Amino acid sequence: MSEYRWSRRDFFRRAAVAGAVAVGGPVLLSACTATNSGGSGASGTLATARQNGTIKVGIAGEAPYGFTDNTGKVTGESVEVGRAVMKALGINDLQATQVSFDSLIPGLNANQFDMVTAGMFINPSRCASAAFSEPDYTAPTAFLVPTGNPKGVATFDDVKNKNLRLAVLSGAVEQGYAQKAGVPDSQIQVFDTQNTLLQAVATGRADAAALTNISLNDVVKKNPGSAVEVTGGFFPTVDGKPTVSAGAFVFRKADTDFVDAFNTELRKLHDNGQWLTIAQPFGFTKDNIPGPDVTTASLCAAA
């Protein structure tokens, strides 16, 4: 399972320009804001952030998780949920440092920032290097289909059995899911961007496109009037195992009280409906809310 979670992020990570940006504010020099060296207690990361009223976070410039929009504002599902939790903890200012995706955990552990708000999937190799919050969201697979779903596509078996043309992104995990389900390569078309996936379906070159429902909802929102829709999300079974992928916030291992406090407030957002209000503008739906069986402990231990 872990190879699938890594592959999606490896494909979608953006070439990032290092820098520090205040959420909703001006560009800052990263040297101007020191981070805590980590740990719990009166001089730990959480206590220091509360005292200063600010915390530095790491992003990877990846929509819709943590990115800079065309107005210069740092935003995204992970950034906005993180900001809501921080406000509940008495920390009103987030400053974001953008690095490449594979530099997020090293940067965290090097005290470049104090937490990661980049929608990072939980897997065992990452858990060995950092602490994860409880799952913030799950990322089920879905299909982009013409409006009305005329071919009745709901699973990869439908694609195979109905001899449908399937569009996938180069390097993304859905091609592997389709192949594992027995979809022949002759039915699979590989494209380079989310927009070309959408165009393939909208123009009839493909009967469906497979990707996470989060990404598909986001691209549909950005292309109104495209005469396409997103099917319900599902977790494919590969080699007899579910491919559950869940994103979370990331902390240094020493910051145990920070993780505990964060989890308490994150649970409240999930339980009272505020999480959905925050996440919906970024393409998330109730299908992305983690179920009780999706836990950080189980994902960290997954083989």
Side-chain angles (χ1 to χ4, degrees):
M1 287 172 58
S2 60
E3 64 176 301
Y4 298 119
R5 289 189 287 269
W6 273 102
S7 296
R8 176 172 281 115
R9 288 302 186 186
D10 287 344
F11 179 78
F12 282 115
R13 69 189 181 197
R14 302 289 190 265
V17 178
V21 185
V23 175
V27 175
L28 301 174
L29 295 176
S30 58
C32 292
T33 306
T35 63
N36 189 276
S37 60
S40 298
S43 60
T45 301
L46 177 59
T48 301
R50 280 175 161 162
Q51 180 179 352
N52 295 335
T54 187
I55 191 164
K56 185 176 284 187
V57 302
I59 65 170
E62 179 186 349
Y65 306 98
F67 62 99
T68 304
D69 68 15
N70 56 14
T71 71
K73 178 184 178 182
V74 176
T75 187
E77 183 275 341
S78 188
V79 169
E80 299 299 345
V81 171
R83 182 162 63 177
V85 171
M86 290 297 102
K87 283 185 176 179
L89 294 175
I91 304 163
N92 292 318
D93 179 46
L94 267 69
Q95 296 177 2
T97 298
Q98 183 172 313
V99 299
S100 62
F101 193 85
D102 56 3
S103 296
L104 286 168
I105 289 179
L108 174 71
N109 287 328
N111 303 319
Q112 189 176 354
F113 32 82
D114 288 317
M115 62 180 289
V116 173
T117 58
M120 184 177 284
F121 285 175
I122 305 166
N123 69 28
S125 57
R126 290 171 177 161
C127 293
S129 301
F132 282 80
S133 70
E134 292 184 358
D136 177 41
Y137 68 88
T138 54
T141 297
F143 294 103
L144 185 70
V145 296
T147 301
N149 195 7
K151 303 289 187 180
V153 184
T155 67
F156 287 107
D157 284 340
D158 291 332
V159 174
K160 176 183 66 176
N161 296 335
K162 297 179 180 182
N163 195 31
L164 303 180
R165 297 163 299 167
L166 179 69
V168 298
L169 278 178
S170 174
V173 299
E174 285 73 26
Q175 182 174 0
Y177 292 164
Q179 291 168 331
K180 289 284 188 178
V183 178
D185 288 342
S186 60
Q187 290 175 225
I188 300 174
Q189 305 174 37
V190 181
F191 295 87
D192 290 333
T193 68
Q194 295 180 25
N195 281 335
T196 55
L197 283 184
L198 182 145
Q199 291 303 316
V201 174
T203 60
R205 286 182 290 153
D207 298 301
L211 198 59
T212 65
N213 70 341
I214 296 167
S215 295
L216 291 178
N217 287 331
D218 185 62
V219 75
V220 169
K221 179 183 176 182
K222 292 174 179 175
N223 293 273
S226 298
V228 293
E229 65 183 52
V230 180
T231 67
F234 67 101
F235 292 106
T237 297
V238 176
D239 296 330
K241 297 179 180 179
T243 59
V244 177
S245 296
F249 299 85
V250 194
F251 306 83
R252 288 183 289 265
K253 281 184 173 289
D255 292 342
T256 54
D257 62 347
F258 192 6
V259 178
D260 290 344
F262 191 96
N263 281 337
T264 296
E265 299 303 328
L266 180 60
R267 281 193 297 269
K268 290 179 183 178
L269 292 181
H270 281 147
D271 292 344
N272 64 22
Q274 290 184 50
W275 179 89
L276 191 57
T277 299
I278 296 169
Q280 275 183 326
F282 303 101
F284 293 70
T285 72
K286 58 182 173 51
D287 289 341
N288 300 112
I289 299 174
D293 56 332
V294 181
T295 67
T296 299
S298 64
L299 291 167
C300 283

